[in-house]
Amino acid sequence: MTLQVHAITADVGGARILDEVTFAAPVGQVTALVGPNGAGKSTLLRVLAGTQKATQGGVNFEGIDLLSMPRKQRARTLALVEQDVHSEFSLTVRQAVELGRTPHQSAFSWGNEHDEAAVDAAMQRADALEFSHRQLGTLSGGERQRVQLARALAQEPRLLLLDEPTNHLDVRAQLRTLSLLRDLADTGITVVAALHDLNLAAEFCDHVVVLTGGRIAACGETTATLSAELIGTTYGVSADVLTHPRSGRPLIAFSR
Ligand code: ADP
Ligand code: MG
């Protein structure tokens, strides 16, 4: 089973941002979406999440067409963690995470036991419990990032999309976030994360999709895909791909 993205084209403000983007991402694995600034990563994630309209193309997940799915069903299926969301500053952290339960609630069932348990579990997994009573507006960028992740987990999605989830995080928190994404994939969740750090992608992700100028440059299993040549042409840098002495994963060394 795969997440199948077929010939997605997206135009924003008269400009073609995504051009016939086609790739498959394995279900229950972590896929890194990489590429230079302006490549279209955020736009692609928003198209997958249904918050940005595609001009053409389709997305199939677990046999269902994501783009024509009713909004509420889509919100029960997938969650998008966007970068730098500046909203709802007066909510407490817990209230913000509780919003993740909205797609699962009806007018007649508000806040049942499972909702409470899902919120608790999500805050625990995302390391957000320690500031659950703080107001969102008082948190640091990294703390707010953990709250966004907790809210997405409270949604209990089967497809989790993240836009630069390690932005603002120190190195330990980056490693924790990527480890968490791996654990989530091990429970069957399909994870697609836009990442800038190619070494985090190489170490933690099973699969990689390389986007440049709104087009797919490469897509496949991480070790087979992240070649020095591809990195060189995609980013215009000089790189060597070594082997990590502990993990055996690709280790990318950049040079002047
Ligand atoms: P990435 O996340 O890979 O950095 P984005 O998806 O944010 O790339 O942006 C891709 C391209 O689309 C960029 O060139 C950006 O300037 C352009 N773009 C994004 N949003 C808009 C918009 N609302 N109007 C015009 N151009 C946009
Ligand atoms: Mg972006």
Side-chain angles (χ1 to χ4, degrees):
M1 289 278 268
T2 52
L3 166 71
Q4 206 95 40
V5 176
H6 181 67
I8 287 287
T9 295
D11 300 290
V12 181
R16 181 137 298 184
I17 309 300
L18 297 174
D19 194 6
E20 303 247 332
V21 168
T22 297
F23 68 90
V27 162
Q29 295 197 9
V30 184
T31 293
L33 176 59
V34 304
N37 290 323
K41 303 181 294 297
S42 298
T43 305
L44 177 58
L45 290 175
R46 284 197 291 266
V47 168
L48 299 182
T51 57
Q52 161 79 51
K53 242 181 135 40
T55 312
Q56 293 182 98
V59 182
N60 189 291
F61 178 62
E62 296 180 336
I64 300 170
D65 177 13
L66 267 190
L67 301 190
S68 63
M69 204 181 255
R71 221 164 76 127
K72 189 157 179 168
Q73 190 189 349
R74 189 160 56 214
R76 289 190 198 134
T77 305
L78 65 87
L80 169 63
V81 182
E82 293 215 64
Q83 43 177 346
D84 297 327
V85 182
H86 297 290
S87 60
E88 300 141 354
F89 268 29
S90 60
L91 293 184
T92 67
V93 167
R94 191 177 175 88
Q95 286 169 334
V97 177
E98 282 170 354
L99 290 176
R101 296 303 301 161
T102 312
H104 296 279
Q105 290 164 343
S106 71
F108 309 105
S109 76
W110 205 91
N112 63 29
E113 268 170 37
H114 180 70
D115 290 321
E116 290 295 314
V119 168
D120 288 337
M123 302 225 328
Q124 172 131 34
R125 294 209 90 161
D127 275 331
L129 273 178
E130 63 188 277
F131 38 82
S132 70
H133 297 293
R134 296 257 303 277
Q135 286 196 329
L136 272 191
T138 69
L139 301 180
S140 73
E143 290 166 341
R144 221 163 22 234
Q145 201 117 12
R146 279 146 70 181
V147 177
Q148 297 301 338
L149 180 57
R151 187 205 302 216
L153 295 180
Q155 232 173 297
E156 297 184 315
R158 295 198 306 286
L159 173 61
L160 179 61
L161 308 169
L162 308 103
D163 199 354
E164 296 183 28
T166 54
N167 220 357
H168 300 302
L169 301 183
D170 65 43
V171 64
R172 179 162 177 269
Q174 291 183 21
L175 296 175
R176 284 183 78 141
T177 297
L178 268 299
S179 300
L180 172 59
L181 299 185
R182 281 237 58 89
D183 291 347
L184 293 169
D186 288 342
T187 70
I189 296 175
T190 303
V191 180
V192 179
L195 293 174
H196 266 307
D197 187 329
L198 293 178
N199 278 311
L200 283 181
E203 181 70 20
F204 287 94
C205 300
D206 308 288
H207 205 79
V208 62
V209 174
V210 184
L211 195 64
T212 180
R215 293 165 185 254
I216 295 290
C219 169
E221 192 273 323
T222 304
T223 308
T225 306
L226 281 185
S227 68
E229 191 192 353
L230 177 75
I231 295 165
T233 52
T234 302
Y235 292 91
V237 298
S238 171
D240 289 282
V241 179
L242 315 173
T243 301
H244 193 291
R246 287 182 193 239
S247 68
R249 304 284 300 170
L251 177 67
I252 298 136
F254 298 100
S255 45
R256 286 184 279 173

